[in-house]
Each structure stands twice: as C-alpha cells, then as structure tokens.
Amino acid sequence: MTKSSTKKVAFISSFKPRKCGIATFTSDLIENAGLAVNGEFEPLVVAMRSEDEKYNDPVKFEIRQNVKSDYICAADYINFSHVDVVSVQHEFGLFGGDAGSYLSLLLNRLKAPVITTLHTVLNDPSPAYHKSLVDVCNASYKVITMNERGVDMLRSIYGISGRKVQLIAHGIPDLPFVDNNYYKHKFDIENRRTILTFGLLNKNKGIEVMLKAMPAIIEAEPTVLYIVLGMTHPAVLKHEGESYRFRLQRMVKELGCTEHVIFHNRFVNDEELHNFLCAADIYVTPYLNREQLTSGTLSFAVGTGKAVVSTPYWAAVELLANGRGKLVQFGDSKQMAESIVEILQDDSLFYSLRRKAYDYGRSRTWSKIGQIYWKLFNAKRMPVRITTKAALSVAEPVSSIEVPEPSLAHLKRLTDDTGLCQHAKFTVPNREYGYCTDDNARAVIAMTKYYAQYPEPEALHLFNIYLSFIIHSQNSDGSVRNFMNFDRSWWGNEPVNDALGRVLWAFGTVMAKPPSSSYLSVIKDCFDKSAGYVEKLHPRGMAYSILGMSDYLKQFPGASDIKRQLEIAADGLVTQYDENRFPDWQWFEDTLTYDNAVLPYALFIAGTILGDKYLEVAEKTCEFLLANTFNDSYFSFVGCKGWYERGKTKATFDQQPIETVSTVMMLRAAYDATQNRRFLTLQRKAFDWFLGENDLHIPIYDFRTKGCNDGLAQGGVNGNQGAESTLSFLMSLLAIVESYTAVDKVVGKTHVSQKMSISRQVSAVEQTTKKAIPIKSTSAQKSKTKIREAEKLT
C-alpha cells in the first residue's frame, strides 16, 4: 500500500492511559478501523490531556483542557499534518470553556471534514449547552449518535438536519458465548452465583440501590456474590476523594453483607475486564439518571451475553428491549431484588436473556462497527472545507509563549451594573471611591481586544457596561467628566485629568474592531463630538487621543479632519520634546513620571501615518526610556515615590503596572515601525515584570484570584487589586498574545514558526520537550520558585 493511498485520520478525544470510557472507546475504534482495511489507515490522536499523563503513539499532540491557545494550535497542527478527515469524540465535560465551547474554536479552523461522535445529548439543555452542541454540529460534516432516541433529539431539540445525523451503535468486544464456571475458577469463586457492576465509580452509578437489595437476594440465594469493579472516577477523587466508596463500604457492613460484596478499586485492562464479564452470571446497572444516551459498560455486558438487570435510562431502554434484559424503576431496591432472584431461580429465563442479548450483540461487535466508521472515513464525496473569515477572527495565541490564560474573573468582581469600580481592598471592591472614566475607558479597550481574540458572551456583557459608562461621561458639548461617586453622582470640581484622551482612545479602539457593526454609528458620533478638544489636552491626553484617532482612520481612512487633529497632537508632542530635551535627557518633560511609555508609543503610531519626523523622536525617546528602566536583565520602572527628575536620583518604588502596559505596547509599536526583533524580546521581558522579573523577584499577578496587585513597593507587593492594575495586566497579556501571532504573519513565516512552536507541545513520543519555552531573562531562575508557588494556589 503506497503512502499516498493511506487514509490519515485525526482523532480528537481523551486517550489511554487516561482512565475514562471515551479513551477506551477511541482506542477500540482506532484498532478496529485499522483492522477493517488492513493497513490503509494512519491514525493521529490529539489527546485531551489530564494531569501528568504520558502518552505513546498514536498520540501526536496534547491539549490542556482549559488553555484556549492549545485549541488554536491543535487546529494548526492538524492542518499542517495534511489529514484526510477528523473524528471527534464529544462529551461536554471533556473540553474547556463554557459547556465545552473551546472545541468549536478548534473545529472552525480545520481544513479537513469533521465527523463527530456524540457521547451525550441533553434533553433539556441550558442555552450555553444548546449553543455549544449546535456549534459543534454545524462544524461537522457528519454527526453520529449511538441511540435512536438521539437521532430524534438532535432534530427536534437542536435543529440538526437528519441528513447530517447517522446512527452507529457503541462497539462491543467480540467474546465467545461461554460457560462462566471456567472463568469463575480464575477468581476462585466457583459455586458462587455472581453479580457484576463495573465502571468508574461515582454517585450517579446508584450502587447503594443494589446494596440495599442484597439482603433479600442473599436470603433467596445464599451463595450470591456482588462484585463492584472499578476505581473511583478521577474527577470525583480530585474533589471528593473516596468518600462515596467509604460510604458504600460502611453500608455493606451495616447490612451484614461483608461476605457477599467485593469492591475492586482499580482500573482493569481489557483482558481482565473480559474475564470478569465472562465469570459473571448477572450484570447490573442501577444508575440514577434517566438522561444517559450511551453506556459502554452496558453494551459490553449485552455483547457478552449477560443476563442484565437495569434501571430504565435511555441507553438501557433501547439495548434491553424485546426480552434482552429486565428493567426496574429508579431507586427501587425491592424491585431490583425481585428481578435478580427471579433470574437466579429460573434457568429458562436466565438462558433466554443471555441468548437474546448475545445474538443482538453480534451486529455491534467492534469489528463491524470499525467497518462502518471506516466507510465514513473513506467516503468518496467528502466536502472540501473552506475556513471562513469569521472563524479566523477567533484568537490565534501561539503556543511558544508560556503566559497565564486571559481571565475576566477579577474584572467581573470589580464590576457592577454602573461600571468598573476604581479601587479594591485586596480583592473586594472599595465603594468609597466610586468609579472613574479613566478606568472604564481602559476597560472598553481591554474588552474590545479581548473579544476580538475570545468572542465570549461575558466579555461582550462587560464591554457594554463599560461603553455605557464612558458614553454617559460625555457632556453635550463633547467634554468629559471623570469621577463618579458610588451613588452615581458626578464630582463637582474635578482635578486635571486625561480622561478625554482615554475616552477617544477607547472610542477609536471600538471603531477599529467593533464587536458588531451596529456600534459604529453611535461611537463615531461620540468621537466626533470630543475630537475638537485634542489640541487643548496635556501631553498624555494628546498621546491617548493619537491612539484613538489612528484607529478611527483604520475604519475611515479618508477622514481628513481627524487626520488633521492627529497631526496637531503629534506636533504638540514633538514640540514638548524639543523644549525639554538635552544631550543627556531625550524626553518630553524634565521629569519621568507616570505612564511614560505612552508618549513614544503614540509617536510610533503617528509616524506610521504621518512620516519619519515623528518616528525619529519616537525612537530617541523610546531608547532613552529603556536606558532608564531596563537594566539588561529585567525592567525596573520609575517609582511614584519621587519619580525621576533630571539631574536627580530615580525613585525605585513604588512601581505601578500602568508603566508595564504602556511599555509593552510601545515596544510592539517600535517593532512594527523598525522590524527590529530586539523590541519583541524586550516586550516579553517587560511583560515578565508581572510574573516576577522585577526588583524583588515577586509576581505582581495573582495566579489565584486572576487579578493584579496594585504595585511593587519596597517591602513587597501592594496587595490591593484595583481596576488600573488588573486592566494593565490584561491589556499587556493580550498584547503579548497578539504579537506572537501577528508577527509571524508579517515576516512571512507563519507556517514554519507555528510548526516550530506547535512542536513544543507534541507528545513525548516525537519530542523530548513538551512544554513551550518562553523568552526569559537571565534572572528568571530567581523568581521561578515564587511563580510556581503562586500557581499552585490556583
């Protein structure tokens, strides 16, 4: 068989050695699909990674469940691997995001057709679960359900076309119809009537229902032995430990059944499981939840010809129909005991149930199910997928950088229906200081950028709150109010501030990347109303307005009045520079104070529109600022307790996060203007200030709360986590993620560099290093321990 004729299939799923039913299902599917075609099949597994699992071939790539960037890189990896078709094993809890929504980020970027097998279909889904499943189905060429009821539910509840849905049963092992006495000998349980339940243990299994039935069963059949086979579900172990198992064991003791019940607390391999199944007389699933559409364990039991007693969950109703098993009501131990005793005492019924179950299972053996899947994988008329612009607009964070996943958790804590609170006492909003337009404008910028990369409903909700605030801050004449009390009253006499410039920056950001085109008309009117004040602003206000006007021109390049205002503001900054510079002091003022980097940042942006005059000043002032804040190892920003006046000593503390975010943005703009990759290296070093690359080697970002401390003081961090600091971190993080995506495109190395960065997460089968390697400064080791300790608190 030639390489070109081999069908290459990517499987997105959990996988062995992970201990879960879907991992086992996927392994069996791959094995039997391969057997069906005698070597024409090349599987590639993209495994949902859990804890410290180590994978072997055919796992080629691993996804961390809650790291959104992994899903994007997985899509690129699959596309670069030239697969013919993608098989997804879908279970809501397997994937990250609200209701497993991160999976759609991956699927929408794939070039190969997608075939999705649904392991759960909810009868009454919440809006989030409904949308998540519909999105997955819309991204799929075919959708497979394992139950006839699932076909109807997909059509009537989710609106999925019947032409897209295909019914394929759960595969079962092809075991012989045997005399179980031979297998009982292996376990030293000869002359015992044996009842079996197996699977990962959790409360929904309803084992207590069966245990309560045991005294009546023992009375009728004293030799009976009930085996509960399987370890506690890993997710249950993580959150609850073995409390459920211990409760069951106490129940056994209280019921006087210790000689008749055995718990095997381990995950057995296929051979052991087959031996246990063959040794059992009766198989029991006393599950408590009706809405279970598939059951691998029940399928196995039916396929091996077991006499089955079960509660009527959906999978059992279909599998045990027509005399293939007995159904009892949920939670009814008395009926459970009666049904089991009847089977044990009636050989005719016992063998009838076994034979019907076994015969039915012949159509569902894994060899036959593998052939059905192979026909799907090898279909001649597969659609060619075209990745849409909408799909590509989703985030493209690159895996070659290790950064925290962007989180809105603390921002949400600081936000009410009025807006974003200015300050916090530790993590608790401090209502005494109310709100300010400065912070809400920053928040609009942050949410616009966040939503452009991560289009989540909660981000849009926050965006609308903050946008409403800054629109309300605008007076009818275009001037802007800054400070609002908690009772929603504006201050009467405000100190001088830069709120108008920040509002223009926020409006411009929205205009450049609106969440919806419906925002444009309103935002343009608001922007135009305030643009006339630009020439009256102080230097930083001018800088903020330049950033807003440059974004305005991205949406309306021909807006000559805005371009004139931008030139006025840029000339104002150049004039400031000319009036204050000296050979040893290349700066706009005689003192380095707050948010310094925004000034050269704005001129880099202006220079790309207006010309080299502005770029020259931008580069000189940028280099001057770097010389005074970067010590060749890490950034040490100007402290607010004294600032840095020309001819005097620079204050080291307190350093504030606002300096970092403007530096991160300035360095990206410097790279864009010069194509000098040194600025990208420095950009990452600036961001690492948040993670411990600073004078005290202490993380400023709080890995536990997802907020950011208000500053770096001489004695440690300022533990308050207010709006400015948290937004500074979030905006810096989004800028870093955006840089590492966009820069590869600019230099024309997208495919090569993404392959290189993706390979950092490839399984240990192919790579000795799985984790991404960030750009680190030479002092990184000093703070590594503190960062890890902080992460452990998450």
Side-chain angles (χ1 to χ4, degrees), residues 348-514:
S348 175
L349 174 61
F350 175 67
Y351 285 109
S352 173
L353 292 172
R354 289 198 62 194
R355 174 55 66 184
K356 289 179 179 179
Y358 188 77
D359 289 345
Y360 182 71
R362 295 311 83 209
S363 64
R364 296 166 172 249
T365 58
W366 264 120
S367 60
K368 293 179 179 177
I369 297 302
Q371 290 175 352
I372 297 172
Y373 270 93
W374 172 250
K375 288 179 181 178
L376 263 184
F377 296 157
N378 202 36
K380 301 299 182 185
R381 294 187 177 181
M382 287 270 195
V384 177
R385 292 196 58 176
I386 300 174
T387 306
T388 64
K389 183 177 179 181
L392 290 174
S393 70
V394 180
E396 299 181 10
V398 178
S399 62
S400 59
I401 52 170
E402 267 185 359
V403 293
E405 179 76 358
S407 172
L408 303 181
H410 187 55
L411 208 57
K412 286 159 63 177
R413 277 193 288 271
L414 296 177
T415 303
D416 58 23
D417 59 356
T418 299
L420 182 64
C421 292
Q422 279 194 82
H423 298 294
K425 293 181 179 179
F426 299 104
T427 60
V428 180
N430 188 343
R431 298 181 178 185
E432 179 182 354
Y433 295 97
Y435 319 86
C436 73
T437 301
D438 276 333
D439 287 336
N440 281 272
R442 290 188 188 102
V444 169
I445 296 165
M447 287 303 95
T448 304
K449 293 179 179 293
Y450 184 97
Y451 191 80
Q453 296 187 52
Y454 308 95
E456 299 167 353
E458 65 179 6
L460 189 59
H461 175 70
L462 292 173
F463 168 82
N464 284 319
I465 291 175
Y466 307 142
L467 182 61
S468 175
F469 188 99
I470 66 171
I471 290 174
H472 180 58
S473 75
Q474 193 177 42
N475 294 309
S476 58
D477 63 356
S479 60
V480 167
R481 296 165 289 190
N482 193 22
F483 296 104
M484 177 186 279
N485 297 309
F486 182 70
D487 64 3
R488 295 190 177 185
S489 61
W490 292 101
W491 285 23
N493 297 309
E494 292 188 334
V496 175
N497 58 75
D498 299 311
L500 191 143
R502 281 203 174 92
V503 166
L504 289 176
W505 184 11
F507 286 153
T509 302
V510 178
M511 292 178 70
K513 288 187 177 179

Side-chain angles (χ1 to χ4, degrees), residues 7 50 101 114-115 138 149 280 291 293 301 502 548 559 783:
K7 183 69 69 171
S50 177
S101 58
V114 176
I115 298 172
N138 287 342
R149 184 185 183 97
E291 295 186 0
L293 205 58
R502 281 203 174 92
S783 60

